[in-house]
Amino acid sequence: MPETAKTQKPPLFVADDLALDFINSEFGVGRAHRECFTDDGAVLDWLKLAGVLPDEIDTAPAGLKELALQLRDNAKSLVDAAKQGKLAEAAVVNHVLQAGRASRELEWDSASRSFKVVRRRLREDAASFLEPIAQAVVKLLTDTPLDLVRQCEAHDCTLMFHDKTKSHRRRWCSMSLCGNRMKVAAFRSRNHGAPLK
């Protein structure tokens, strides 16, 4: 059954990294597969939930879904290749960085009585809406130790995350989504066939 606005599950923000949350906008396998980017409006909603666009923007530019899907595929292939120490083409990320580049301006803030730097999108097009995501992909690939970028260990989960725990032993996308479920399954497996006391 195709997902509608009423049955579609909300996006998951469990990765502790904007670029990985963007990659995680498609998740699950088989009947549990979910696609958050069903149309331009759904991508716009995700960008607002992620905090990269202000809530007052209510119209998605044409082609936002198409470019978002291309950017997500490119970002995922770049992360996978980088983790394996292999080369991958960054064409879509570079296109969005170039075409969507925001301007930076120095502006006086009368409330704080000081200057601040303000980012302004050059245009209201798909690339300018997705430029913060491309910036996050660049930051992930250049500033993050990729051995701390992991996939959830649940056998049926495709979600990735940045392990920011002190011990760097995070195994699950989320304890509430997969961790508890896998721990219960392991407990049952260990105790299967054990005599009842």
Side-chain angles (χ1 to χ4, degrees):
M1 171 169 82
E3 288 183 305
T4 65
K6 290 185 179 181
T7 62
Q8 185 177 358
K9 291 187 178 184
L12 302 172
F13 291 92
V14 297
D16 288 327
D17 183 275
L18 177 60
L20 293 174
D21 280 327
F22 185 75
I23 290 169
N24 289 342
S25 61
E26 178 184 35
F27 61 94
V29 293
R31 295 185 64 148
H33 177 262
R34 297 290 178 260
E35 172 59 73
C36 296
F37 298 162
T38 54
D39 57 31
D40 290 342
V43 178
L44 178 66
D45 291 343
W46 188 97
L47 292 169
K48 290 195 282 189
L49 282 172
V52 297
L53 289 179
D55 287 337
E56 54 269 12
I57 295 177
D58 57 2
T59 304
L64 184 60
K65 173 190 170 188
E66 180 182 347
L67 186 56
L69 295 176
Q70 292 171 7
L71 180 60
R72 184 178 67 195
D73 288 346
N74 193 211
K76 182 163 180 23
S77 68
L78 289 169
V79 170
D80 290 344
K83 285 182 64 62
Q84 297 172 28
K86 295 182 179 177
L87 176 66
E89 181 62 43
V92 180
V93 170
N94 287 333
H95 164 73
V96 172
L97 287 171
Q98 182 64 32
R101 184 180 324 140
S103 68
R104 301 183 114 188
E105 299 175 2
L106 189 61
E107 185 177 276
W108 179 257
D109 180 16
S110 55
S112 66
R113 296 175 29 127
S114 63
F115 284 101
K116 64 180 182 179
V117 175
V118 178
R119 282 177 47 103
R120 300 193 195 289
R121 284 191 314 277
L122 295 178
R123 295 174 298 282
E124 297 294 319
D125 62 7
S128 67
F129 277 49
L130 293 168
E131 188 264 347
I133 303 300
Q135 291 287 352
V137 172
V138 169
K139 186 174 189 295
L140 174 70
L141 292 171
T142 59
D143 294 349
T144 303
L146 293 178
D147 61 321
L148 298 179
V149 173
R150 302 193 177 126
Q151 184 170 334
C152 181
E153 290 184 19
H155 68 279
D156 58 348
C157 184
T158 61
L159 296 174
M160 297 175 73
F161 59 87
H162 178 191
D163 182 359
K164 292 184 176 179
T165 62
K166 190 173 184 178
S167 65
H168 300 304
R169 292 186 174 183
R170 181 174 167 187
R171 300 175 60 197
W172 320 109
C173 60
S174 160
M175 281 305 291
S176 62
L177 291 175
C178 289
N180 289 334
R181 185 170 54 94
M182 292 296 104
K183 287 183 175 191
V184 167
F187 175 80
R188 286 184 181 154
S189 177
R190 282 191 306 271
N191 293 312
H192 182 70
L196 295 174
K197 296 182 180 179

